[in-house]
Amino acid sequence: MNSSTPEHHPTRVLVTGGAGFIGANFLQHMVPAYPDVAFVTLDALTYAGHRRNIAPVAEADNFTFVEGDIADAALVGRLFDEHAFTTVVHFAAESHVDRSIQDPLAFVRTNVVGTATLLEAARTAWRDDGDYRFHHISTDEVFGELGAEGTFTEATPYAPRSPYAASKAGSDHLVRAYGHTYGLPFTLSNTSNNYGPYQHPEKLIPLVILRALREQPIPVYGDGQNVRDWLHVQDHALALDCILRHGRTGQTYLVSAEVERTNLHLVETLTDLVDAALDRPAGTARQHITFVTDRPGHDFRYAVDASRVRDELSWRPQYDLPAGLEQTVRWYLDHPDWLEAITDEDYAAYIDAQYGT
Ligand code: NAD
Ligand code: TYD
């Protein structure tokens, strides 16, 4: 670790979107790891958020859950007054590209207006020169798409191409503008595609596991040759812990395990893992792979150069992709109640509208 890096010591932390996929994994790491730090989660419990995701920390003395909207300025202001937060870790967002194509304004509201609301509350509350930090979680999708070669770095210009990516880019710009204009102490991370426990099965990996398990058609967009760069969510949580405490204010960190796969290769691996875990004949689930109409504006390839977070903060991913995928498949197969609860009527309606199956 760079010894000249100033430390941040979080004591009272607002975690937005803690009932979602990455937020829940972050809390499951942080709440037991830092028993003297108070964590308050603000989450609207949209279709993507679930109380089950925070059940492992719900009874901890240093954890409080508040149901509410990050764009509700009165509520956010009241929470800052009541809890005197030293730290914000901002996950809450509308996060699914396909839904952003169907309903872009919901993304503008939560991702742009919601982020601005939090920034205003922090600016109002943090008037002295105390030890404060606003960490904003963003995506590599703000950089647009890559061709067959190259990687995104912290210097890559923004070129978002979906309503989701554009709304996240807008939120990133606001965070930096608050840093520049008002001196708000922030850090920002742009992360590659995450996978692991508690991910909503609208996203590729849990969708494939679920549909392989249930022997339903497994939709692959286009020819399956699009490339994504995969990071285990628990490695992301460890990176955020590092950035929060040791990251330099005003700095951006790109986070990734630097592991690329075509979608088709990944889907075939997952179907084989599900068959193996269920002792089914090899190839049972592969038969259900179905090529479907491509996503409009589908970005071809994402790939992230994570050397800054490795070199400056000594973070290293613990999972390699094969081990991470095996652990992930096992987790979904071992949690039928979670899958049952999350695949409710709303989920069935979404799947029907999206895939017609
Ligand atoms: P998610 O969709 O699983 O969870 C989002 C959470 O935010 C849910 O609990 C939801 O209820 C909550 N939420 C949504 N709107 C809200 C509002 N208006 N007020 C309060 N809470 C609200 O998302 P995720 O995959 O956990 O992603 C978390 C963050 O990480 C997002 O900012 C996303 O853009 C970013 N990110 C995700 C990935 C990924 O692969 N999942 C990759 C890079 C960056
Ligand atoms: P997704 O999990 O939606 O993440 P993102 O679009 O943010 O990268 O999708 C990952 C990749 O998988 C992306 O290239 C789109 C593709 N995909 C499919 O081929 N079929 C599907 O049903 C889904 C949801 C995604």
Side-chain angles (χ1 to χ4, degrees):
M1 192 157 319
N2 180 341
S3 57
S4 66
T5 300
E7 302 273 319
H8 171 60
H9 299 281
T11 50
R12 294 172 300 279
V13 185
L14 172 63
V15 178
T16 71
F21 164 51
I22 306 174
N25 278 281
F26 176 74
L27 285 167
Q28 288 182 35
H29 162 64
M30 296 294 281
V31 171
Y34 299 97
D36 297 334
V37 177
F39 294 90
V40 176
T41 272
L42 173 62
D43 195 299
L45 297 181
T46 68
Y47 79 90
H50 217 291
R51 283 183 191 275
R52 281 173 187 257
N53 299 353
I54 43 172
V57 295
E59 302 303 323
D61 289 341
N62 60 333
F63 179 75
T64 306
F65 178 75
V66 178
E67 182 173 347
D69 187 342
I70 56 164
D72 179 344
L75 170 64
V76 171
R78 199 163 66 242
L79 290 175
F80 268 84
D81 287 345
E82 273 171 26
H83 296 278
F85 299 122
T86 58
T87 313
V88 176
V89 184
H90 177 31
F91 295 96
E94 289 291 342
S95 70
H96 191 37
V97 173
D98 292 323
R99 290 189 193 250
S100 82
I101 295 168
Q102 293 169 6
D103 183 12
L105 292 187
F107 285 67
V108 174
R109 185 184 174 281
T110 287
N111 299 358
V112 181
V113 179
T115 300
T117 306
L118 291 166
L119 288 165
E120 263 305 279
R123 174 171 90 89
T124 307
W126 296 345
R127 295 217 178 259
D128 57 12
D129 59 359
D131 178 21
Y132 302 121
R133 191 64 55 88
F134 189 111
H135 183 74
H136 179 60
I137 286 103
S138 191
T139 167
D140 59 357
E141 301 189 30
V142 297
F143 301 118
E145 68 169 359
L146 292 165
E149 301 292 320
T151 50
F152 299 133
T153 71
E154 285 84 0
T156 303
Y158 275 35
R161 290 165 29 107
S162 71
Y164 163 65
S167 65
K168 291 298 292 186
S171 67
D172 294 8
H173 290 318
L174 279 165
V175 172
R176 292 198 182 95
Y178 269 67
H180 186 74
T181 308
Y182 305 112
L184 190 90
F186 77 89
T187 44
L188 198 155
S189 51
N190 298 90
T191 308
S192 65
N193 286 65
N194 283 217
Y195 70 97
Y198 299 98
Q199 188 169 29
H200 192 280
E202 63 186 356
K203 304 276 170 46
L204 181 68
I205 287 183
L207 182 94
V208 171
I209 296 170
L210 177 69
R211 295 179 79 84
L213 170 67
R214 295 183 179 171
E215 296 200 53
Q216 293 168 330
I218 296 168
V220 173
Y221 296 160
D223 59 7
Q225 293 311 304
N226 299 61
V227 175
R228 295 292 182 267
D229 179 348
W230 293 98
L231 171 69
H232 195 285
V233 66
Q234 289 158 1
D235 281 327
H236 187 187
L238 294 176
L240 292 172
D241 181 357
C242 257
I243 295 168
L244 193 60
R245 292 180 300 115
H246 306 294
R248 284 185 282 146
T249 44
Q251 190 63 284
T252 295
Y253 296 90
L254 266 52
V255 185
S256 150
E258 302 176 315
V259 186
E260 298 177 45
R261 290 290 183 276
T262 65
N263 290 339
L264 185 57
H265 185 279
L266 183 75
V267 168
E268 288 176 344
T269 306
L270 288 165
T271 51
D272 294 350
L273 284 169
V274 173
D275 285 342
L278 297 176
D279 271 335
R280 295 194 306 213
T284 303
R286 273 196 194 215
Q287 297 171 57
H288 298 287
I289 295 175
T290 310
F291 293 95
V292 300
T293 308
D294 210 351
R295 170 188 283 172
H298 192 176
D299 286 342
F300 174 61
R301 176 171 163 263
Y302 305 139
V304 165
D305 176 346
S307 45
R308 177 178 287 170
V309 71
R310 277 190 278 108
D311 296 348
E312 213 176 90
L313 303 179
S314 304
W315 169 84
R316 297 283 183 283
Q318 305 298 306
Y319 281 97
D320 66 15
L321 189 65
L325 291 179
E326 209 176 318
Q327 180 257 14
T328 300
V329 166
R330 194 72 271 159
W331 188 88
Y332 286 92
L333 298 184
D334 287 346
H335 290 79
D337 292 351
W338 184 89
L339 273 177
E340 195 60 41
I342 213 138
T343 53
D344 57 9
E345 276 174 26
D346 287 350
Y347 178 75
Y350 168 76
I351 291 292
D352 194 42
Q354 181 67 19
Y355 303 102
T357 49

